[in-house]
Amino acid sequence: MSFNTIYLTLMSVRMAPRLPLIFLLMIHVVSADWGVSYSPSHICALKNSSVIMSCTYTYPTGYKIEKVVWTKNIVKGKESPDLSKDPEYSQRLQYLGDKKQNCTIRLSHVTQKDQHMYCFRFTTDKSDGKWTGYPGVTLTVTDLQVEVPERVTEGHNVRLTCKSSCTLTDRATFIWYRNSQPLTERRDRNNQLLLQSVRREDAGRYSCALHGHTYISPAAQLNVTYPPRNVSVSITGSGVIVEGDSVTLICSSDSNPPALNFSWFKENQSSAVGSGQSFSALQSGRFYCEAHNQHGSQRSDAVTVTAHPGADRNVIVIAATSGGLFIFIIIIILFIKRKMSVKTDLTITKVNHPDTT
Ligand SMILES: *[C@@H]1O[C@H](CO)[C@@H](O)[C@H](O)[C@H]1NC(C)=O
Ligand SMILES: *[C@@H]1O[C@H](CO)[C@@H](O)[C@H](O)[C@H]1NC(C)=O
Ligand SMILES: *[C@@H]1O[C@H](CO)[C@@H](O)[C@H](O)[C@H]1NC(C)=O
Ligand SMILES: *[C@@H]1O[C@H](CO)[C@@H](O)[C@H](O)[C@H]1NC(C)=O
Ligand SMILES: *[C@@H]1O[C@H](CO)[C@@H](O)[C@H](O)[C@H]1NC(C)=O
Ligand SMILES: *[C@@H]1O[C@H](CO)[C@@H](O)[C@H](O)[C@H]1NC(C)=O
């Protein structure tokens, strides 16, 4: 403050010929003893935290402080209301200062609704001795959001970021949670969590918080994609083909995204014998499947299918095809015959009808 005064005085000496300017500066020099300073003048606070607004004020000697008031959203020419009388603030506002020079306050459980400019005003025992420290301290309240890449493939590195809408005034340590459990390995730096060579166990819902604060961010899902694993074939029934029936084989796998593309192979046969998640085995042999997704593929162990002698479906199918026409004709004949007998029944009823009435 005193440095300011000296500086302004020097300015006025240098600019001596410019009288109106000197006059302006002189006002400042005279009033330099009246002031409020806020440090810092911009605060970025986490939701639900307590904010200390550090503040000091000065006034010329010979004045006695009568009233100290914090206000918000100052409007020129209007006396802004005392926040300690405002029901939205009275419970949360604590004046830590004094009636001499310290005007610090604490505002607890801040919410987004508290984002305003706050000013300190003091009144002295003399009618000209009033001062409002404008501009005041600007409060911004932020929440935290976890930023996660949409998906990451196993083995790659991934960086999760705990984002706030403004740079937090308090230098804070970040804490990370996966599925609500705090992560103990310290793999984080500033507001980032680095997962190196991601494993599928790293998938989960991540949230972040600040050490010493109650607020926890909403959780964000980390999706780890990976090629098929644990590919296996299950068999319906015993795996024995009886009476020209088939045996159904089903391929299952653990993969993300789920494998939708399956190939079936017969052992010692290079080309695929089928596709799709299930396969009907009509012959004896050892069969295995291969599950694919965009990250890779894996094959299962082989399962054994045995056909009983004489249960070769192919033979039956061929027989059915050649005999098909003959069977069709027989069915048609039977159908026509049945239709005709129904018609005959109807005729009989009609004939009988007049007799009964
Ligand atoms: C003002 O008061 C607060 C709370 O008592 C204290 O922490 C702070 O250091 C004081 N500031 C000055 C400049 O004395
Ligand atoms: C806000 O903080 C208080 C303690 O300071 C805590 O009891 C409360 O649960 C917190 N509320 C939220 C929404 O985090
Ligand atoms: C999948 O295979 C791994 C070993 O590669 C094993 O640890 C895990 O238990 C298997 N999971 C299932 C569901 O079979
Ligand atoms: C992960 O991403 C894959 C590929 O987009 C998707 O198919 C799968 O459903 C996602 N899984 C989860 C748990 O979100
Ligand atoms: C299934 O995977 C095989 C082998 O990678 C590939 O040749 C074929 O085009 C895939 N089919 C579909 C429908 O993706
Ligand atoms: C497939 O070939 C291997 C040798 O390459 C042989 O040991 C195995 O018995 C054969 N399996 C069948 C079902 O023919």
Side-chain angles (χ1 to χ4, degrees), residues 52 54-56 96-98 101-104:
I52 303 269
S54 272
C55 165
T56 54
L96 304 174
D98 51 33
Q101 50 149 1
N102 191 335
C103 43
T104 302

